[in-house]
């Protein structure tokens, strides 16, 4: 894909290189899988293919940064200090968008927001938010029970795919007895819970 230059000064190949430098080969393959899936979903559901590509390539940009660096940025850039009680799972998207903005000079709010909510989802999600959230879950490299079903649903109805992913992610977190981030509960209440 050729980028327009509206959202990043970098060509796609250069953006890919900048992302690749930040992570393991395995995680980079995941990122490329998310990009492929996000572009397909954007085509199907009528979102910008370019924004889908950029958001997908950058969604896990900060995932391999140290806890120390995240804690420093949370304090320095006036994030809610409650975030300090959480960890990389929650930080790498929500705070990671800040690294993407500063280091890759991507300022498009829609792209940054899709990065912020890609892990937990949100009660209110834009089309691009949903595409990145779902693509992250169903990209070709993902292998877990239920992923085939998630892929099928994503081809039929994107909101249903958001609901399916949210329900199964929450069930998985409960099974592991890990702390549930409040935003994850908000996503569940909006997209899964029966009124
Ligand atoms: P990845 O970065 O491509 O591996 O995928 P995600 O960004 O979607 O998720 C990162 C990790 O965060 C996964 O292991 C999720 O299960 C986990 N996660 C998602 N929501 C929550 C939450 O509310 N609490 C905790 N503790 N972990 C979560
Ligand atoms: Fe992630
Ligand atoms: Fe995800
Ligand atoms: Fe990811």
């Amino acid at each position: 894909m050729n980028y327009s230059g509206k959202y990043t000064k970098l060509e796609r190949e250069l953006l890919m290189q900048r992302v690749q430098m930040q992570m393991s080969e395995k995680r980079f393959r995941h990122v490329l899988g998310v990009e492929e899936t996000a572009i397909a979903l954007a085509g199907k559901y009528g979102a910008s293919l370019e924004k889908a590509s950029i958001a997908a390539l950058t969604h896990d940009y900060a995932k391999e940064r140290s806890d120390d660096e995240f804690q420093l940025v949370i304090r320095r850039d006036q994030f809610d200090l409650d975030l300090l009680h959480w960890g990389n799972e929650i930080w790498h998207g929500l705070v990671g968008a800040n690294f993407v903005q500063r280091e890759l000079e991507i300022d498009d709010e829609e792209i940054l927001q899709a990065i912020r909510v890609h892990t937990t989802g949100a009660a209110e999600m834009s089309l691009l938010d949903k595409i990145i959230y779902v693509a992250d879950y169903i990209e070709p490299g993902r292998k877990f029970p239920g992923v085939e079903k998630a892929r099928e649903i994503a081809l039929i109805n994107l909101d249903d795919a958001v609901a399916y992913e949210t329900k199964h992610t929450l069930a998985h977190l409960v099974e592991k007895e890990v702390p549930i981030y409040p935003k994850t509960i908000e996503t569940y209440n909006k997209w899964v819970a029966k009124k």
Side-chain angles (χ1 to χ4, degrees):
M1 179 189 307
N2 284 311
Y3 287 171
S4 66
K6 274 191 280 187
Y7 312 117
T8 167
K9 290 185 289 194
L10 302 170
E11 296 290 352
R12 177 172 170 277
E13 287 297 322
L14 273 172
L15 181 61
M16 279 175 52
Q17 282 181 31
R18 291 285 296 271
V19 169
Q20 184 171 25
M21 286 167 44
Q22 297 287 321
M23 57 188 63
S24 70
E25 228 178 279
K26 179 163 184 278
R27 176 155 291 117
F28 185 62
R29 279 201 303 274
H30 158 71
V31 163
L32 293 182
V34 175
E35 190 210 20
E36 178 190 321
T37 307
I39 290 172
L41 292 173
K44 175 163 178 60
Y45 293 107
S48 158
L49 308 190
E50 182 177 355
K51 283 197 184 197
S53 166
I54 296 168
L57 288 177
T58 56
H59 83 282
D60 279 338
Y61 176 79
K63 182 121 176 184
E64 296 185 13
R65 297 300 178 93
S66 69
D67 289 359
D68 279 357
E69 194 173 354
F70 277 115
Q71 286 158 356
L72 187 127
V73 169
I74 289 165
R75 295 177 190 284
R76 187 196 64 197
D77 291 350
Q78 271 105 49
F79 281 88
D80 184 341
L81 293 178
D82 171 67
L83 269 173
L84 294 171
H85 300 298
W86 296 84
N88 179 278
E89 293 83 2
I90 301 304
W91 294 338
H92 80 278
L94 192 56
V95 185
N98 177 295
F99 291 79
V100 170
Q101 183 169 28
R102 281 184 292 106
E103 298 176 15
L104 300 176
E105 299 173 84
I106 292 170
D107 290 315
D108 183 80
E109 255 313 306
E110 206 192 347
I111 292 171
L112 296 172
Q113 184 63 9
I115 297 168
R116 288 184 195 114
V117 304
H118 87 263
T119 304
T120 62
E124 297 299 325
M125 294 171 85
S126 72
L127 177 57
L128 187 66
D129 294 344
K130 293 173 191 172
I131 285 170
I132 300 301
Y133 181 71
V134 170
D136 188 32
Y137 193 65
I138 66 168
E139 61 95 358
R142 293 286 201 205
K143 290 179 176 65
F144 55 83
V147 70
E148 291 295 347
K149 182 74 184 166
R151 289 183 182 124
E152 282 173 32
I153 297 171
L155 293 177
I156 300 167
N157 185 299
L158 189 61
D159 286 0
D160 290 349
V162 169
Y164 182 91
E165 170 177 348
T166 299
K167 174 175 170 172
H168 289 268
T169 298
L170 182 56
H172 175 71
L173 296 168
V174 168
E175 186 53 44
K176 288 200 301 175
E177 300 182 3
V178 297
I180 310 293
Y181 192 62
K183 201 105 196 157
T184 301
I185 308 273
E186 284 178 33
T187 307
Y188 171 84
N189 284 338
K190 168 67 188 266
W191 293 95
V192 184
K194 307 252 193 304
K195 304 300 176 300

